Amino acid sequence: MASKLSLIEVDFTCPVCCDIFKDPVIMTCSHSVCKVCLQKFWEAKGSRECPICRKRFTQTQLPPNLALRNLCETYLQERSQRASAGSEELCSLHSEKLKLFCLEDKQPVCLVCRDSLEHLNHNFRPVAEVSKQFKEELRIQLGKLKENMKTHEEIKRTFDVAAQHIKTQALNTERLIQEEFEKLHQFLRDEEAARITALREEVEQKSQMVDISALSDTITALEKELRADDITFLQNCKSTEKRAQCTLQDPERVSGALINVAKHLGNLKFRVWEKMQEIVQYTPVTLDPNTASKQLTVSEDLTCVGYGSVDSLPDNPERCNRHTTVLGSEGFNSGTHCWDVEVGESTWWEVGVMTESFQRKEDYSSYDSGLWFVYYNSGKYIARAPPQVFTPLTVEQKLQRIRVQLDCDNFPLRILPVKASVMVDQHCNSYDHSMVTDH
């Protein structure tokens, strides 16, 4: 199938704009051109001549070619009618129905096109057969695209939830950072005020030690008494005698009269830092709220976990979905690590460790590998350390604190005896990749 214009379209085509004639005019040389095209041609050339044969003429007003205009209008009407009647199914070269499809050129052709040199040695199939095949392939591909669209929409919804959660996390984290630093700032302000107060108190004390104003006042008063008349002098002699007995220590014998600068400034930062440790505590393992199941809530200081549903949490890859579990904020690849978990009066809990590769989105009921823990429920204690499945534990009293000791350099990992963990009095800490569950 070719894309060239048919003969009749060429006859109705303006040689200047290459479109069907619009208001054609006829020149003395018998050539016809669109009126507007001719005016533009003359303006561009600067002379009146035929765009086809270049013959010059002097007329400024050329007669319209009414016959050609009518033929063009009739042709356009017929073409429009053929298009509305499905004439697009006809070959533009041979006006034959497009019954075949060229597999090489990927286009419909007529029977005459099939036998032409343009399609020599090409393969053909009936239009209906190829159309059915292509439509079926398109339906399959469309179905895949729709499924893909659903997946993208679900992911977008997850991203939207995550984006909102990120904003909430950022605001809460910023608030907590500011609160923690405000505590430190307040401690420093209080410590600064206390030390300045101590300095001022010493200044007052040391100033009194070298103050001679009282002695000066006494001398002045005694000199005044000496100038008084006899009666007045004798009337005041008792008080005057007492005042005259006041003495001031020899300044050369006074020690420690200066400010003890070393006491106030010596190792000031270190001593403040040392005192600051009284209000600061260190937790060897903190919880990662991004791993917490939706049934759990994590405290703001990331050291405690409790049972309580949280709405609108994003289903991020790190989150544990099939179990009430939360992991620690850090994992371990080597070395020996130890932390204590306070279980208190909880009636159902699991404390332990798991490997990074353990499936967080699946049910833990299989317990095939990668999970070590101590479990408590209904008054029973159970330990699990691969390759064993479950090992009952016997304890003399209800446990309040569990110690987890992880030795990454020795395998298999094992749960240490429970008695050792009960005897140690440490602060409550939590885990990763320690695992803490609360039911």
Side-chain angles (χ1 to χ4, degrees):
M1 178 175 130
S3 60
K4 297 179 181 178
L5 293 172
S6 63
L7 178 61
I8 193 169
E9 275 192 61
V10 172
D11 293 339
F12 294 153
T13 301
C14 171
V16 177
C17 65
C18 298
D19 199 355
I20 303 300
F21 283 109
K22 296 181 182 65
D23 294 329
V25 293
I26 188 169
M27 294 171 283
T28 55
C29 60
S30 300
H31 291 123
S32 294
V33 182
C34 293
K35 183 177 181 180
V36 174
C37 294
L38 184 60
Q39 293 294 337
K40 290 182 179 180
F41 179 78
W42 285 355
E43 291 175 1
K45 291 289 292 182
S47 61
R48 297 186 182 90
E49 60 182 45
C50 174
I52 302 169
C53 65
R54 304 303 187 200
K55 181 179 178 180
R56 293 179 175 272
F57 45 87
T58 59
Q59 300 99 312
T60 57
Q61 297 294 330
L62 298 177
N65 192 337
L66 298 178
L68 180 58
R69 186 182 67 181
N70 293 336
L71 288 173
C72 289
E73 291 176 354
T74 301
Y75 170 75
L76 290 173
Q77 291 177 357
E78 291 179 353
R79 190 173 69 175
S80 176
Q81 292 174 357
R82 287 197 303 271
S84 60
S87 61
E88 66 277 7
E89 296 182 1
L90 298 179
C91 175
S92 62
L93 282 178
H94 311 106
S95 298
E96 296 287 338
K97 286 189 176 182
L98 301 172
K99 295 183 177 182
L100 302 175
F101 185 82
C102 178
L103 299 180
E104 279 72 21
D105 293 335
K106 302 296 182 184
Q107 62 182 14
V109 296
C110 67
L111 296 176
V112 179
C113 291
R114 179 192 62 182
D115 299 330
S116 65
L117 291 175
E118 186 177 354
H119 295 278
L120 185 64
N121 297 326
H122 287 189
N123 295 311
F124 302 90
R125 292 289 184 276
V127 166
E129 179 182 321
V130 176
S131 177
K132 181 179 179 181
Q133 177 186 346
F134 282 2
K135 285 182 178 180
E136 185 61 30
E137 293 176 356
L138 182 60
R139 288 191 189 96
I140 294 174
Q141 187 62 28
L142 183 60
K144 293 180 180 179
L145 291 175
K146 289 182 178 180
E147 288 298 322
N148 197 15
M149 185 65 179
K150 291 181 181 178
T151 303
H152 279 72
E153 289 175 349
E154 292 175 0
I155 293 176
K156 184 180 183 302
R157 285 194 292 269
T158 302
F159 283 168
D160 291 341
V161 173
Q164 184 59 43
H165 189 65
I166 288 172
K167 292 180 181 179
T168 303
Q169 279 186 314
L171 292 174
N172 289 338
T173 304
E174 181 177 342
R175 173 181 59 81
L176 293 173
I177 290 174
Q178 291 173 343
E179 289 177 359
E180 291 300 312
F181 272 94
E182 177 57 28
K183 293 176 183 177
L184 296 176
H185 293 158
Q186 188 59 49
F187 168 82
L188 292 175
R189 287 193 292 266
D190 293 343
E191 190 67 17
E192 177 187 11
R195 293 179 181 274
I196 290 177
T197 298
L199 173 62
R200 291 174 177 173
E201 289 177 352
E202 184 177 355
V203 170
E204 181 67 21
Q205 180 184 1
K206 295 298 175 65
S207 297
Q208 292 177 1
M209 292 178 62
V210 295
D211 188 4
I212 63 173
S213 59
L215 181 58
S216 178
D217 292 342
T218 300
I219 293 173
T220 301
L222 293 176
E223 289 177 344
K224 183 179 180 181
E225 290 295 330
L226 288 174
R227 291 193 298 270
D229 60 84
D230 293 340
I231 298 300
T232 304
F233 175 76
L234 291 175
Q235 287 176 341
N236 298 328
C237 66
K238 184 181 292 188
S239 61
T240 302
E241 183 180 9
K242 185 178 180 180
R243 178 177 292 182
Q245 293 175 355
C246 176
T247 59
L248 184 66
Q249 186 178 4
D250 188 352
E252 294 181 356
R253 297 181 181 182
V254 176
S255 62
L258 302 180
I259 298 298
N260 191 348
V261 177
K263 182 185 74 172
H264 296 288
L265 292 181
N267 292 315
L268 176 60
K269 294 178 182 177
F270 175 81
R271 288 188 287 113
V272 172
W273 171 79
E274 190 176 37
K275 189 174 181 180
M276 185 182 292
Q277 294 183 68
E278 299 175 3
I279 67 168
V280 176
Q281 65 178 11
Y282 171 72
T283 304
V285 177
T286 56
L287 299 174
D288 182 2
N290 293 336
T291 67
S293 303
K294 296 184 177 181
Q295 299 88 348
L296 297 178
T297 56
V298 179
S299 64
E300 290 186 340
D301 63 358
L302 308 181
T303 62
C304 297
V305 60
Y307 188 79
S309 179
V310 180
D311 297 331
S312 302
L313 282 178
D315 186 18
N316 49 299
E318 300 86 355
R319 194 171 305 283
C320 301
N321 281 1
R322 298 294 186 90
H323 211 55
T324 48
T325 301
V326 61
L327 305 181
S329 58
E330 296 182 13
F332 305 106
N333 295 321
S334 61
T336 301
H337 309 273
C338 179
W339 60 93
D340 291 351
V341 180
E342 188 176 68
V343 295
E345 299 299 325
S346 298
T347 58
W348 187 4
W349 49 260
E350 294 176 23
V351 176
V353 297
M354 77 180 197
T355 60
E356 178 70 24
S357 60
F358 195 86
Q359 294 298 320
R360 306 180 185 189
K361 304 296 184 183
E362 298 179 1
D363 194 352
Y364 295 177
S365 59
S366 60
Y367 292 116
D368 50 357
S369 62
L371 194 60
W372 296 259
F373 62 86
V374 172
Y375 168 84
Y376 173 76
N377 187 23
S378 302
K380 296 181 180 179
Y381 295 90
I382 296 175
R384 200 269 179 176
Q388 292 81 15
V389 181
F390 297 106
T391 302
L393 297 177
T394 301
V395 298
E396 297 178 357
Q397 59 183 5
K398 187 176 181 181
L399 304 182
Q400 300 291 315
R401 184 180 293 112
I402 302 297
R403 167 164 290 187
V404 181
Q405 184 161 332
L406 172 64
D407 188 352
C408 297
D409 300 324
N410 292 297
F411 290 94
L413 302 181
R414 64 190 180 90
I415 305 297
L416 293 181
V418 177
K419 280 188 177 182
S421 65
V422 177
M423 299 299 295
V424 179
D425 184 13
Q426 291 188 359
H427 294 290
C428 169
N429 299 318
S430 296
Y431 157 58
D432 184 19
H433 276 93
S434 68
M435 175 195 72
V436 178
T437 65
D438 194 336
H439 302 268

